[in-house]
Each structure stands twice: as structure tokens, then as C-alpha cells.
Amino acid sequence: MRRCLIHYYIYVCITALTLTACNGDNSVMMPDSIGNAYDVTLVTKDKRLCNVALDILDTVMPAMTQHERLFTILTFNSISGATRYRRTLVMVRLTGDKTHIRYEHNAYASPQLLVFIESPSAEQLKTDCHKAKAAITKLIDGFETATAVQRARKSPNRMAQQEIRRLFNARIDVPNEMASAKRGKDFLWFSDNGTKTMRNICVYATPGTDCSANRLVDLRDSVMARNIPGERQGMFMTTEHRAGLRHQRRGPFTVIHGLWAMKDDAMGGPFVSLSLPDTTRRRTITAEAFLYAPSVDKAQTMRQLEALLYTLRLE
């Protein structure tokens, strides 16, 4: 399973675009990179290329309570001074006879991703815009996911790890700051109890190994109603079906993005769940992250929470 996940995040294949990597990891003794997760610094001298590249990087986060872009973008004409230490650099220039994308890690700082977009003209790059968007979004998202997973594995919540192992024969790296915990039947809930932004991770087991999306959502509603009540009797967490759900397969996981709501209350927000069949024990293990942050943007925090879920593995 670990090999499958590594391949998922490193391998990018986009038809009609050339993509290569120079992946010498020079992170030892590197200065720390500048910027937050999903900050992107766009570097180009050509105004037309800049406009096309901004369209490529204009990525909307799915399944959010409001319209939010995934990347925070800064633009520069060249790399100079501290600019080279930015977390993610996307450099665009006119060259060659077709659109070509290559990338490097940790050239000037760590963690760092450098993406080079080369195209013969702004018009050609615009023609390749959709394919380039898919490739670059996967590259940046994969880099941020791998960085978040690596950080979580350096300082996990040991108590949470022990409880998850004991109850589910599984492992997931819950961060240390999620120190508040609640246990139910085949259910664990960890939270940081933040006042402005409350981050949560739940792990639960359900009978059977059918990981079809409709069944998983029905099971989610049952598990959350039983384990996450509201402030008053009759309130409980449910799935907001009217907003639509997005589901896909990623390696061994069934991934569902959607919105949660508290029945008969105004509380709500985004969630993402990863479900993994445990054929040995004839059950399904689900790890879910949900966020309550009514007054702030949520896209980047949700991506970071989702990254933590990919540390889920059976033991």
C-alpha cells in the first residue's frame, strides 16, 4: 500500500505535454523556504505568458461552503534575493517547439518545489491550458501533501496512534495539537478544539467491504448521528446532500468530498473521507477530516487535513 501511495503522489502523466523531473533532494543544510502551504510564486517577464499562467493556476477547491481558490499567488519578473527561497516557484518562459513542464525539489530551500513551464508562444500555452492546469495542480498538491505527511510523521500524537492501533489494527498520524479525544463504538474523534478554526479527524469501522460511494455516505450519516451530537437534543451531524458530493478512487482509497451540517442548527462546513476495505476482518476503515471555520477561508486547511488522512494504513 505504501508503494501505491508513493506512486500516486509522484507520478503525473498528461497526454500531449512533456513533463520531466530533476529530483535530487538537496534538503540537507538548506535554509527554510518562505511562505505557507499552497503559496505559489509565479515568475515571468512576459505579460502575455503571465496572464495565461494565472489562468492555469486559478484552481477552485471543490466541495466548499463558499467559492475558494486553492492557491495564493504572487507574481515577480525575475528570481532575485529572497524570491528564490519561496516555497513553490512556477517559472514560465518562451522556448522550444511544444509545451514542456519540468520540476525540481529543494533547489534553494526546503521544502521547495520549482515548476518550469516552457512553451513556444503564449497562444500555444493557452491551447494547452487545461492539460497544463491538471499537471501543475497535481504537482503542487502532491508536493504539499507529501510535505504535510512528512511533518505529521515527525511529531504524531502517540496516544492517538495507540488508540487507533488498539481499536482498528490500523495507523494514522494524527497531529499533536489534536489533543481532545472522544471514543464511541468502533469510533474515535480527535479535535484541536480551536475557537476560530476547529480541525477534526475521525476514524471508524463499519461492517462489510463494499466501498461504493452511496453506501459509504449512508454509513457516514449513521455513524456521525450516533457519535457527534449537537448542543441540544435532536441535533446531530449529517451530510448536506443538496450541495452535491464528489467521489473518486485514489489508489486503494475511496475518497469523498462534501459538506456536513448539524441538523436543526446553523453549524456546517466541508469534510473529506478516505475509506479502505479491510478484507481480513470483513470491514471498512474510514478516516474523515471535517472543519468548522465559519469566518475564515477553508481550502488550504482542508487540503492539509486531507493530506493527514493519506497516512492511513492497515497493520
Side-chain angles (χ1 to χ4, degrees):
M1 182 186 304
R2 184 173 302 173
R3 182 179 301 170
C4 177
L5 291 179
I6 292 172
H7 286 178
Y8 171 75
Y9 283 114
I10 294 179
Y11 179 74
V12 179
C13 179
I14 301 296
T15 305
L17 286 181
T18 305
L19 191 152
T20 57
C22 300
N23 279 323
D25 189 344
N26 303 316
S27 58
V28 178
M29 301 301 292
M30 281 278 180
D32 293 336
S33 56
I34 301 171
N36 299 317
Y38 294 96
D39 283 356
V40 176
T41 301
L42 174 62
V43 182
T44 182
K45 296 179 180 179
D46 189 293
K47 186 175 180 179
R48 295 171 304 161
L49 282 178
C50 183
N51 290 334
V52 178
L54 285 171
D55 287 340
I56 290 172
L57 293 169
D58 186 18
T59 302
V60 176
M61 179 77 172
M64 301 297 291
T65 54
Q66 57 198 22
H67 191 84
E68 290 187 36
R69 288 173 169 79
L70 180 58
F71 305 129
T72 301
I73 305 170
L74 296 174
T75 59
F76 289 86
N77 293 325
S78 63
I79 295 181
S80 60
T83 305
R84 71 183 62 197
Y85 303 118
R86 302 292 303 179
R87 184 183 184 93
T88 297
L89 290 164
V90 176
M91 287 162 281
V92 192
R93 65 173 183 163
L94 295 174
T95 187
D97 57 0
K98 62 181 178 180
T99 301
H100 176 82
I101 298 173
R102 58 189 178 90
Y103 62 98
E104 299 177 12
H105 290 289
N106 303 334
Y108 306 109
S110 177
Q112 186 182 56
L113 173 68
L114 280 71
V115 180
F116 303 88
I117 306 174
E118 300 168 346
S119 192
S121 67
E123 290 74 19
Q124 183 61 51
L125 183 57
K126 189 172 183 178
T127 298
D128 295 329
C129 181
H130 292 297
K131 293 172 182 176
K133 179 189 286 287
I136 292 167
T137 300
K138 281 188 177 182
L139 281 173
I140 299 174
D141 203 23
F143 161 71
E144 293 293 359
T145 297
T147 300
V149 168
Q150 186 179 29
R151 185 180 296 113
R153 285 179 173 166
K154 285 181 178 178
S155 58
N157 183 328
R158 299 296 183 187
M159 184 186 69
Q161 280 186 335
Q162 292 172 4
E163 279 291 287
I164 293 168
R165 184 181 295 114
R166 186 177 63 81
L167 201 58
F168 304 109
N169 294 108
R171 175 169 177 166
I172 184 170
D173 294 324
V174 176
N176 265 325
E177 55 267 28
M178 289 190 181
S180 178
K182 176 184 176 181
R183 180 180 175 185
K185 185 180 184 307
D186 297 324
F187 177 88
L188 289 172
W189 174 15
F190 303 97
S191 177
D192 64 1
N193 277 341
T195 54
K196 189 174 181 181
T197 298
M198 186 172 71
R199 301 179 304 154
N200 308 270
I201 288 178
C202 298
V203 186
Y204 55 89
T206 50
T209 57
D210 178 6
C211 285
S212 60
N214 288 339
R215 179 175 182 273
L216 289 174
V217 172
D218 288 343
L219 288 170
R220 177 190 187 275
D221 281 340
S222 175
V223 169
M224 294 306 186
R226 186 166 61 248
N227 290 284
I228 304 186
E231 292 184 352
R232 297 192 300 274
Q233 187 173 0
M235 291 182 175
F236 54 84
M237 180 181 284
T238 186
T239 305
E240 183 55 85
H241 294 272
R242 294 173 298 177
L245 296 166
R246 179 173 174 260
H247 59 86
Q248 58 191 134
R249 288 299 302 269
R250 289 187 176 179
F253 299 111
T254 301
V255 184
I256 299 176
H257 291 87
L259 300 179
W260 64 271
M262 193 65 69
K263 181 176 171 56
D264 296 331
D265 197 358
M267 292 182 67
F271 79 87
V272 56
S273 68
L274 272 66
S275 296
L276 185 66
D278 181 357
T279 54
T280 301
R281 301 172 183 84
R282 296 182 181 180
R283 62 181 182 175
T284 296
I285 304 297
T286 297
E288 174 177 324
F290 69 91
L291 182 65
Y292 181 63
S295 59
V296 299
D297 289 343
K298 306 167 187 61
Q300 295 175 2
T301 303
M302 278 304 298
R303 280 299 201 200
Q304 291 173 312
L305 284 172
E306 182 175 351
L308 297 176
L309 302 185
Y310 283 100
T311 64
L312 174 66
R313 51 212 180 272
L314 300 178
E315 294 188 340

